Coordinates of all heavy atoms in Angstrom, one line a residue:
M79 N 0.9 -1.2 0.0 CA 0.0 0.0 0.0 C 0.9 1.3 0.0 O 1.9 1.2 0.8 CB -0.9 0.0 1.3 CG -2.3 0.7 1.0 SD -3.0 1.1 2.5 CE -3.4 -0.6 3.1
P80 N 0.6 2.2 -0.8 CA 1.4 3.4 -0.8 C 1.3 4.2 0.5 O 0.3 4.1 1.2 CB 0.7 4.3 -1.9 CG -0.2 3.4 -2.6 CD -0.5 2.2 -1.8
E81 N 2.3 4.8 0.8 CA 2.5 5.4 2.2 C 1.4 6.4 2.3 O 0.9 6.6 3.5 CB 3.8 6.1 2.2 CG 4.2 6.4 3.7 CD 5.5 7.2 3.7 OE1 6.5 6.8 3.0 OE2 5.6 8.2 4.4
H82 N 1.0 7.1 1.3 CA 0.0 8.2 1.3 C -1.3 7.7 2.0 O -1.9 8.3 2.9 CB -0.2 8.7 0.0 CG -1.2 9.8 0.0 ND1 -1.0 11.1 0.6 CD2 -2.4 9.9 -0.5 CE1 -2.0 11.8 0.5 NE2 -3.0 11.2 -0.3
N83 N -1.7 6.5 1.5 CA -3.0 6.0 1.9 C -2.9 5.6 3.4 O -3.8 5.7 4.3 CB -3.3 4.7 1.1 CG -3.9 5.0 -0.2 OD1 -4.3 6.2 -0.4 ND2 -3.8 4.1 -1.1
L84 N -1.7 5.0 3.8 CA -1.5 4.7 5.3 C -1.7 5.9 6.2 O -2.2 5.9 7.2 CB -0.1 4.1 5.5 CG 0.0 2.6 5.2 CD1 1.3 2.2 5.4 CD2 -0.9 1.8 6.2
C85 N -1.1 7.0 5.6 CA -1.1 8.2 6.4 C -2.5 8.8 6.6 O -3.0 9.2 7.6 CB -0.3 9.4 5.8 SG 1.4 9.1 6.0
Q86 N -3.3 8.7 5.5 CA -4.7 9.1 5.5 C -5.5 8.2 6.5 O -6.3 8.8 7.2 CB -5.3 8.9 4.1 CG -4.9 10.2 3.2 CD -5.9 10.5 2.2 OE1 -6.5 9.6 1.6 NE2 -6.0 11.8 1.8
E87 N -5.2 6.9 6.4 CA -5.9 6.0 7.3 C -5.6 6.4 8.8 O -6.4 6.5 9.6 CB -5.6 4.7 7.0 CG -6.5 3.6 7.5 CD -6.0 2.2 7.2 OE1 -5.6 1.9 6.1 OE2 -6.1 1.4 8.2
F88 N -4.3 6.6 9.0 CA -3.8 7.0 10.3 C -4.6 8.3 10.8 O -5.1 8.3 11.9 CB -2.3 7.3 10.1 CG -1.7 7.6 11.6 CD1 -1.5 6.6 12.5 CD2 -1.5 8.9 11.9 CE1 -0.8 6.9 13.6 CE2 -1.0 9.2 13.2 CZ -0.6 8.1 14.0
L89 N -4.5 9.4 10.0 CA -5.1 10.7 10.4 C -6.6 10.5 10.7 O -7.1 11.2 11.5 CB -4.8 11.7 9.3 CG -3.3 12.0 9.2 CD1 -3.1 12.9 8.1 CD2 -2.7 12.6 10.5
S90 N -7.2 9.6 9.9 CA -8.7 9.5 10.1 C -9.1 8.8 11.5 O -10.1 8.9 11.9 CB -9.3 8.7 9.0 OG -9.0 7.4 9.1
Q91 N -8.0 8.2 12.1 CA -8.2 7.4 13.3 C -7.5 8.1 14.4 O -7.6 7.7 15.6 CB -7.8 6.0 13.2 CG -8.8 5.2 12.3 CD -8.2 3.9 12.1 OE1 -7.2 3.7 11.6 NE2 -9.1 2.9 12.3
I92 N -6.9 9.3 14.2 CA -6.0 9.9 15.2 C -6.7 10.3 16.5 O -6.3 10.1 17.6 CB -5.1 10.9 14.5 CG1 -4.0 11.4 15.5 CG2 -6.0 12.2 14.3 CD1 -3.0 10.2 15.7
S93 N -7.9 10.8 16.4 CA -8.6 11.3 17.6 C -9.1 10.2 18.5 O -9.0 10.2 19.6 CB -9.7 12.2 17.2 OG -10.7 11.5 16.4
D94 N -9.5 9.1 17.8 CA -9.8 7.9 18.5 C -8.6 7.3 19.2 O -8.5 6.9 20.4 CB -10.4 6.8 17.6 CG -11.8 7.2 17.2 OD1 -12.3 8.0 17.9 OD2 -12.3 6.6 16.3
Y95 N -7.4 7.3 18.5 CA -6.2 6.9 19.1 C -5.7 7.7 20.3 O -5.4 7.1 21.3 CB -5.0 6.9 18.0 CG -3.8 6.7 18.4 CD1 -3.3 5.4 18.8 CD2 -2.7 7.6 18.6 CE1 -2.1 5.1 19.2 CE2 -1.5 7.4 19.1 CZ -1.1 6.1 19.4 OH 0.2 5.9 19.8
L96 N -5.9 9.0 20.2 CA -5.5 9.8 21.4 C -6.4 9.6 22.5 O -6.0 9.8 23.7 CB -5.4 11.3 20.9 CG -4.3 11.7 20.0 CD1 -4.4 13.1 19.6 CD2 -2.9 11.3 20.8
D97 N -7.7 9.3 22.2 CA -8.6 9.1 23.3 C -8.6 7.6 23.9 O -9.3 7.3 24.7 CB -10.0 9.3 22.8 CG -10.3 10.8 22.5 OD1 -9.6 11.6 23.1 OD2 -11.3 11.2 21.8
N98 N -7.6 6.9 23.3 CA -7.6 5.4 23.6 C -8.9 4.7 23.4 O -9.3 3.9 24.1 CB -7.2 5.2 25.1 CG -5.8 5.4 25.3 OD1 -4.8 5.1 24.5 ND2 -5.3 6.0 26.4
N99 N -9.6 5.1 22.2 CA -10.8 4.7 21.9 C -11.0 3.7 20.8 O -11.9 3.5 20.2 CB -11.7 5.9 21.5 CG -13.1 5.7 22.0 OD1 -13.5 4.8 22.6 ND2 -13.9 6.7 21.7
I100 N -9.8 2.9 20.4 CA -9.7 2.1 19.4 C -9.3 0.6 19.9 O -8.8 0.5 21.0 CB -8.8 2.5 18.3 CG1 -7.5 2.8 18.9 CG2 -9.4 3.7 17.5 CD1 -6.3 3.1 17.8
D101 N -9.7 -0.3 19.1 CA -9.3 -1.7 19.5 C -7.8 -1.8 19.4 O -7.1 -1.2 18.6 CB -10.1 -2.7 18.6 CG -9.7 -2.6 17.2 OD1 -10.2 -1.7 16.6 OD2 -8.9 -3.4 16.8
P102 N -7.3 -2.8 20.3 CA -5.9 -3.0 20.4 C -5.1 -3.3 19.1 O -4.0 -2.9 18.8 CB -5.7 -4.2 21.3 CG -7.0 -4.1 22.1 CD -8.0 -3.6 21.2
L103 N -5.9 -4.0 18.2 CA -5.3 -4.4 16.9 C -5.1 -3.2 16.1 O -3.9 -3.0 15.5 CB -6.2 -5.3 16.2 CG -5.5 -6.3 15.3 CD1 -4.9 -7.4 15.9 CD2 -6.6 -6.9 14.3
T104 N -6.0 -2.3 15.9 CA -5.8 -1.0 15.2 C -4.8 -0.1 15.8 O -4.0 0.4 15.2 CB -7.2 -0.2 15.2 OG1 -8.3 -1.2 14.9 CG2 -7.1 0.8 14.1
C105 N -4.8 -0.1 17.1 CA -3.7 0.7 17.9 C -2.4 0.2 17.6 O -1.5 0.9 17.2 CB -4.0 0.5 19.4 SG -3.1 1.5 20.4
D106 N -2.2 -1.2 17.4 CA -0.9 -1.7 17.0 C -0.6 -1.3 15.7 O 0.7 -0.9 15.4 CB -1.0 -3.3 17.0 CG -0.5 -3.9 18.4 OD1 -0.3 -3.0 19.3 OD2 -0.3 -5.1 18.4
E107 N -1.4 -1.2 14.7 CA -1.1 -0.9 13.3 C -0.8 0.6 13.3 O 0.2 1.0 12.6 CB -2.4 -1.1 12.5 CG -2.4 -2.6 12.0 CD -3.7 -2.8 11.3 OE1 -4.3 -1.9 10.6 OE2 -4.1 -4.0 11.3
L108 N -1.4 1.4 14.1 CA -1.2 2.8 14.1 C 0.2 3.2 14.7 O 1.0 3.9 14.1 CB -2.2 3.6 14.9 CG -3.6 3.7 14.3 CD1 -4.6 4.5 15.2 CD2 -3.6 4.2 12.9
E109 N 0.5 2.3 15.7 CA 1.9 2.6 16.4 C 3.0 2.1 15.4 O 4.1 2.7 15.4 CB 1.9 1.9 17.7 CG 1.2 2.9 18.6 CD 1.0 2.2 20.1 OE1 1.3 1.0 20.3 OE2 0.7 3.1 21.0
K110 N 2.7 1.0 14.7 CA 3.7 0.6 13.8 C 3.9 1.6 12.6 O 5.0 1.9 12.3 CB 3.2 -0.8 13.0 CG 4.0 -1.9 13.6 CD 3.5 -3.2 12.8 CE 3.0 -4.3 13.9 NZ 2.1 -5.3 13.3
H111 N 2.9 2.3 12.2 CA 2.9 3.3 11.2 C 3.7 4.5 11.8 O 4.6 5.0 11.0 CB 1.5 3.7 10.8 CG 1.6 4.9 9.8 ND1 2.1 4.7 8.5 CD2 1.4 6.2 9.9 CE1 1.9 5.9 7.9 NE2 1.6 6.8 8.7
L112 N 3.5 4.8 13.0 CA 4.1 5.9 13.6 C 5.7 5.7 13.7 O 6.5 6.6 13.4 CB 3.8 6.1 15.1 CG 2.6 7.0 15.4 CD1 2.4 7.1 16.8 CD2 2.9 8.4 14.8
V113 N 6.1 4.4 13.8 CA 7.6 4.1 13.9 C 8.1 4.3 12.5 O 9.3 4.8 12.3 CB 7.8 2.6 14.2 CG1 9.2 2.2 14.1 CG2 7.4 2.4 15.7
D114 N 7.4 4.1 11.4 CA 7.9 4.1 10.1 C 7.7 5.6 9.5 O 8.4 5.8 8.5 CB 7.1 3.2 9.1 CG 7.5 1.8 9.5 OD1 8.5 1.5 10.1 OD2 6.6 0.9 9.1
C115 N 6.9 6.3 10.1 CA 6.5 7.6 9.4 C 6.8 8.8 10.2 O 6.0 9.1 11.3 CB 5.1 7.6 9.0 SG 4.5 9.0 8.1
P116 N 8.0 9.6 10.1 CA 8.3 10.7 10.8 C 7.2 11.8 10.7 O 6.9 12.5 11.8 CB 9.6 11.2 10.1 CG 10.1 10.1 9.3 CD 8.8 9.3 9.0
N117 N 6.6 12.0 9.6 CA 5.6 13.0 9.5 C 4.4 12.8 10.4 O 4.0 13.7 11.1 CB 5.0 13.0 8.0 CG 6.0 13.5 7.1 OD1 6.9 14.2 7.4 ND2 5.9 13.1 5.8
C118 N 3.9 11.6 10.5 CA 2.7 11.3 11.4 C 3.2 11.4 12.8 O 2.5 11.8 13.7 CB 2.1 10.0 11.1 SG 1.1 10.0 9.6
R119 N 4.4 11.1 13.1 CA 5.0 11.1 14.4 C 5.0 12.5 15.0 O 4.5 12.8 16.1 CB 6.5 10.5 14.5 CG 6.7 9.8 15.8 CD 7.7 8.7 15.6 NE 9.0 9.3 15.0 CZ 9.7 8.7 14.2 NH1 9.5 7.5 13.8 NH2 10.8 9.2 13.7
V120 N 5.5 13.4 14.0 CA 5.5 14.9 14.4 C 4.1 15.4 14.6 O 3.8 16.1 15.5 CB 6.2 15.7 13.4 CG1 5.9 17.1 13.6 CG2 7.7 15.3 13.3
F121 N 3.2 14.9 13.8 CA 1.8 15.4 13.8 C 1.3 14.9 15.3 O 0.5 15.8 15.9 CB 1.0 14.9 12.6 CG -0.4 15.2 12.7 CD1 -0.7 16.4 12.2 CD2 -1.4 14.3 13.2 CE1 -2.1 16.8 12.1 CE2 -2.7 14.8 13.1 CZ -3.0 16.0 12.7
V122 N 1.3 13.7 15.5 CA 0.8 13.2 16.8 C 1.4 13.9 18.0 O 0.7 14.3 18.9 CB 1.0 11.6 16.9 CG1 0.7 11.2 18.4 CG2 0.2 11.0 16.0
D123 N 2.8 14.1 17.9 CA 3.4 14.8 19.0 C 2.8 16.2 19.1 O 2.5 16.6 20.3 CB 4.9 15.0 18.5 CG 5.8 14.5 19.8 OD1 5.5 13.5 20.4 OD2 6.7 15.4 20.0
T124 N 2.7 17.0 18.2 CA 2.1 18.3 18.2 C 0.7 18.3 18.8 O 0.3 19.1 19.5 CB 2.1 18.9 16.7 OG1 3.4 18.8 16.1 CG2 1.8 20.4 16.9
L125 N -0.1 17.3 18.2 CA -1.5 17.1 18.6 C -1.6 16.9 20.1 O -2.3 17.5 20.8 CB -2.1 16.1 17.8 CG -3.7 16.3 17.7 CD1 -4.0 17.5 16.9 CD2 -4.2 15.0 16.9
K126 N -0.8 16.0 20.6 CA -0.7 15.7 22.1 C -0.5 16.9 22.9 O -1.1 17.1 23.9 CB 0.3 14.5 22.3 CG -0.2 13.2 22.1 CD 0.8 12.1 22.5 CE 0.4 10.7 22.2 NZ 1.5 9.8 22.4
K127 N 0.6 17.6 22.4 CA 1.0 18.8 23.2 C -0.2 19.8 23.2 O -0.5 20.4 24.2 CB 2.2 19.5 22.6 CG 3.5 18.8 23.1 CD 4.7 19.5 22.5 CE 5.9 18.5 22.6 NZ 6.8 18.7 21.4
T128 N -0.7 20.0 22.1 CA -1.9 21.0 21.9 C -3.0 20.5 22.9 O -3.6 21.3 23.5 CB -2.4 21.0 20.5 OG1 -1.3 21.3 19.7 CG2 -3.5 22.1 20.3
V129 N -3.4 19.2 22.8 CA -4.5 18.8 23.7 C -4.1 18.9 25.1 O -5.0 19.4 25.9 CB -4.7 17.3 23.3 CG1 -5.7 16.7 24.4 CG2 -5.4 17.2 22.0
Y130 N -2.9 18.6 25.5 CA -2.4 18.8 26.8 C -2.5 20.3 27.3 O -3.0 20.6 28.3 CB -1.0 18.3 26.9 CG -0.4 18.5 28.3 CD1 -0.8 17.6 29.4 CD2 0.5 19.5 28.6 CE1 -0.3 17.8 30.6 CE2 1.0 19.6 29.9 CZ 0.7 18.9 30.9 OH 1.1 18.9 32.2
L131 N -2.0 21.2 26.6 CA -2.0 22.7 26.8 C -3.4 23.1 26.9 O -3.8 23.9 27.8 CB -1.3 23.4 25.7 CG 0.2 23.3 25.8 CD1 0.8 24.1 24.7 CD2 0.7 23.8 27.1
Y132 N -4.3 22.6 26.0 CA -5.7 23.0 26.0 C -6.3 22.6 27.3 O -7.1 23.3 28.0 CB -6.4 22.4 24.9 CG -7.9 22.9 24.7 CD1 -8.2 24.1 24.4 CD2 -8.8 22.0 25.1 CE1 -9.5 24.5 24.2 CE2 -10.2 22.3 25.0 CZ -10.5 23.6 24.5 OH -11.9 24.0 24.4
Q133 N -6.1 21.3 27.8 CA -6.6 20.8 29.0 C -6.1 21.6 30.2 O -6.9 21.8 31.2 CB -6.4 19.3 29.1 CG -7.3 18.5 28.2 CD -6.9 17.1 28.1 OE1 -5.7 16.8 28.5 NE2 -7.7 16.1 27.6
Q134 N -4.9 21.9 30.3 CA -4.3 22.6 31.3 C -5.0 24.1 31.4 O -5.4 24.4 32.5 CB -2.9 22.9 31.1 CG -2.0 21.7 31.1 CD -1.9 21.1 32.5 OE1 -2.7 20.1 32.8 NE2 -1.1 21.6 33.4
Q135 N -5.1 24.6 30.3 CA -5.8 25.9 30.3 C -7.2 25.9 30.8 O -7.7 26.7 31.5 CB -5.8 26.4 28.8 CG -5.8 27.9 28.7 CD -5.8 28.3 27.1 OE1 -6.5 27.6 26.4 NE2 -5.2 29.3 26.9
E136 N -7.9 24.8 30.3 CA -9.3 24.6 30.7 C -9.4 24.5 32.3 O -10.2 25.1 33.0 CB -9.9 23.3 30.1 CG -10.2 23.4 28.7 CD -11.4 24.2 28.4 OE1 -12.6 23.6 28.6 OE2 -11.3 25.4 28.0
A137 N -8.4 23.8 32.8 CA -8.4 23.5 34.3 C -8.2 24.8 34.9 O -8.8 25.1 36.0 CB -7.4 22.5 34.6
D138 N -7.2 25.6 34.6 CA -6.9 26.9 35.1 C -8.0 27.9 35.1 O -8.3 28.5 36.1 CB -5.6 27.5 34.5 CG -4.3 26.7 35.0 OD1 -4.4 26.2 36.0 OD2 -3.4 26.9 34.4
I139 N -8.5 28.1 33.8 CA -9.5 29.1 33.7 C -10.9 28.7 34.3 O -11.5 29.4 35.0 CB -9.7 29.4 32.3 CG1 -8.3 30.0 31.6 CG2 -10.8 30.5 32.1 CD1 -8.4 30.3 30.2
N140 N -11.2 27.4 34.1 CA -12.4 26.8 34.6 C -13.7 27.6 34.3 O -14.5 27.9 35.1 CB -12.2 26.7 36.1 CG -13.3 25.7 36.7 OD1 -13.7 24.8 36.0 ND2 -13.4 25.7 37.9
V141 N -13.8 28.0 33.1 CA -15.0 28.8 32.6 C -15.8 27.9 31.6 O -15.1 27.3 30.8 CB -14.6 30.0 31.8 CG1 -15.7 30.8 31.3 CG2 -13.8 31.0 32.8
P142 N -17.1 27.8 32.0 CA -17.8 26.9 31.0 C -17.8 27.4 29.6 O -17.7 28.7 29.4 CB -19.3 27.0 31.6 CG -19.1 27.5 33.0 CD -17.8 28.2 33.0
S143 N -17.8 26.6 28.5 CA -17.6 27.0 27.1 C -18.7 28.0 26.8 O -18.5 28.9 26.0 CB -17.5 25.8 26.3 OG -18.6 25.1 26.4
E144 N -19.9 27.8 27.4 CA -21.0 28.6 27.0 C -20.7 30.1 27.4 O -21.0 30.9 26.6 CB -22.3 28.1 27.7 CG -23.5 28.6 27.2 CD -24.6 28.7 28.3 OE1 -24.5 27.8 29.3 OE2 -25.5 29.5 28.3
V145 N -20.2 30.2 28.6 CA -19.8 31.6 29.1 C -18.8 32.1 28.2 O -18.8 33.4 27.8 CB -19.4 31.5 30.6 CG1 -18.9 32.8 31.1 CG2 -20.5 30.9 31.5
R146 N -17.7 31.4 27.9 CA -16.7 31.8 27.0 C -17.2 32.3 25.8 O -16.8 33.3 25.2 CB -15.6 30.7 26.9 CG -14.2 31.3 27.3 CD -13.2 30.2 27.2 NE -14.0 28.9 27.2 CZ -13.4 27.8 26.9 NH1 -12.0 27.7 26.7 NH2 -14.0 26.6 26.8
G147 N -18.1 31.5 25.2 CA -18.7 31.9 23.8 C -19.3 33.2 24.0 O -19.2 34.1 23.1
R148 N -20.1 33.5 25.0 CA -20.7 34.8 25.2 C -19.7 35.9 25.4 O -19.9 37.0 24.8 CB -21.6 34.7 26.5 CG -23.1 34.5 26.1 CD -24.0 34.5 27.3 NE -24.1 33.2 27.9 CZ -24.4 33.0 29.2 NH1 -24.7 33.9 30.0 NH2 -24.6 31.8 29.6
L149 N -18.6 35.6 26.1 CA -17.6 36.6 26.3 C -16.9 36.9 25.0 O -16.8 38.1 24.6 CB -16.5 36.0 27.2 CG -15.3 36.9 27.6 CD1 -15.9 38.0 28.5 CD2 -14.4 36.1 28.4
F150 N -16.7 35.9 24.0 CA -16.1 36.2 22.8 C -17.2 37.1 22.0 O -16.7 38.0 21.3 CB -15.8 34.9 22.1 CG -14.6 34.2 22.7 CD1 -14.4 32.9 22.4 CD2 -13.6 35.0 23.3 CE1 -13.2 32.3 22.9 CE2 -12.6 34.4 23.8 CZ -12.3 33.0 23.7
K151 N -18.3 36.8 22.1 CA -19.4 37.6 21.3 C -19.3 39.0 21.7 O -19.3 40.0 21.0 CB -20.7 37.0 21.6 CG -21.3 36.2 20.4 CD -22.8 35.8 20.7 CE -23.1 34.6 19.9 NZ -24.3 34.0 20.4
V152 N -19.2 39.3 23.1 CA -19.1 40.6 23.6 C -17.9 41.3 23.1 O -17.9 42.4 22.7 CB -19.2 40.6 25.1 CG1 -18.8 41.9 25.7 CG2 -20.4 40.1 25.7
L153 N -16.8 40.5 23.0 CA -15.5 41.1 22.6 C -15.6 41.4 21.2 O -15.1 42.6 20.8 CB -14.4 40.1 22.9 CG -14.0 39.9 24.4 CD1 -12.9 39.0 24.5 CD2 -13.6 41.2 25.0
N154 N -16.2 40.6 20.4 CA -16.3 40.9 19.0 C -17.2 42.2 18.7 O -16.9 43.0 17.9 CB -17.0 39.7 18.2 CG -16.1 38.7 18.0 OD1 -14.7 38.9 18.0 ND2 -16.4 37.4 17.8
L155 N -18.3 42.3 19.6 CA -19.1 43.4 19.4 C -18.4 44.7 19.8 O -18.5 45.8 19.0 CB -20.4 43.3 20.3 CG -21.4 42.3 19.8 CD1 -22.6 42.2 20.8 CD2 -22.0 42.8 18.4
D156 N -17.5 44.6 20.8 CA -16.7 45.7 21.2 C -15.8 46.2 20.0 O -15.7 47.3 19.7 CB -15.8 45.4 22.3 CG -16.3 45.9 23.6 OD1 -17.1 46.9 23.6 OD2 -15.8 45.5 24.8
D157 N -15.1 45.2 19.4 CA -14.3 45.4 18.3 C -15.1 46.1 17.1 O -14.5 47.2 16.6 CB -13.8 44.2 17.7 CG -12.5 43.7 18.4 OD1 -11.9 44.6 19.3 OD2 -12.2 42.6 18.4
L158 N -16.3 45.7 16.9 CA -17.1 46.4 15.8 C -17.4 47.8 16.1 O -17.6 48.6 15.2 CB -18.3 45.5 15.6 CG -18.0 44.2 14.8 CD1 -19.5 43.5 14.8 CD2 -17.6 44.4 13.4
T159 N -17.6 48.1 17.3 CA -18.1 49.5 17.7 C -16.9 50.4 17.9 O -17.2 51.7 18.0 CB -19.0 49.4 19.0 OG1 -18.2 48.8 20.0 CG2 -20.3 48.8 18.8
R160 N -15.8 49.9 17.9 CA -14.6 50.8 18.1 C -14.4 51.7 16.8 O -14.6 51.3 15.7 CB -13.3 50.0 18.3 CG -12.6 50.6 19.5 CD -11.5 49.7 19.9 NE -12.0 48.8 21.0 CZ -11.2 47.5 21.2 NH1 -10.2 47.2 20.5 NH2 -11.6 46.8 22.1
Ligands
ZN254 ZN1 2.1 8.6 7.9

C-alpha cells in the first residue's frame, strides 16, 4: 500500500487513538505506522501537546464554554463598535 494511503488512514483515526478509543489491533497498526513515518510522528506529537495545553488551560480558567462563547461575542461586538 502506498505510504500516502496509510497516512490518511492514520489521520482519520488519530482522535480515537489519542482518546484510547480504538481496539488494540488497530492501535498496534497505528503505532507501527508511527515508527515508520516521521511525518505522522511529528503530527501526533504536536497534537498531544496541543491537547495537553488546552486541557491545562481549561483547568486553570475553569470557565464553561457557554460563558466563554458569550464573552467572545461581547468582545467581537466591542471590536465592531470601536
Ligand atoms: Zn504517515
Side-chain angles (χ1 to χ4, degrees):
M79 213 200 288
E81 198 185 314
H82 179 70
N83 285 344
L84 275 175
C85 286
Q86 282 207 325
E87 199 182 315
F88 182 85
L89 293 178
S90 74
Q91 288 173 308
I92 191 64
S93 61
D94 285 342
Y95 172 71
L96 288 178
D97 289 342
N98 285 325
N99 213 5
I100 50 174
D101 62 281
L103 209 76
T104 315
C105 189
D106 264 13
E107 275 172 28
L108 291 180
E109 279 174 352
K110 258 183 229 156
H111 177 72
L112 269 186
V113 172
D114 290 339
C115 181
N117 288 339
C118 284
R119 213 156 55 217
V120 169
F121 182 80
V122 168
D123 227 46
T124 310
L125 205 63
K126 272 184 183 168
K127 274 182 204 146
T128 308
V129 168
Y130 178 75
L131 286 177
Y132 183 72
Q133 282 169 345
Q134 293 295 97
Q135 206 181 35
E136 287 286 284
D138 280 344
I139 298 176
N140 201 19
V141 176
S143 59
E144 194 205 338
V145 174
R146 237 176 342 170
R148 262 184 269 159
L149 186 68
F150 285 157
K151 254 186 208 164
V152 171
L153 290 176
N154 281 339
L155 286 176
D156 252 348
D157 278 343
L158 287 175
T159 52
R160 224 172 272 163

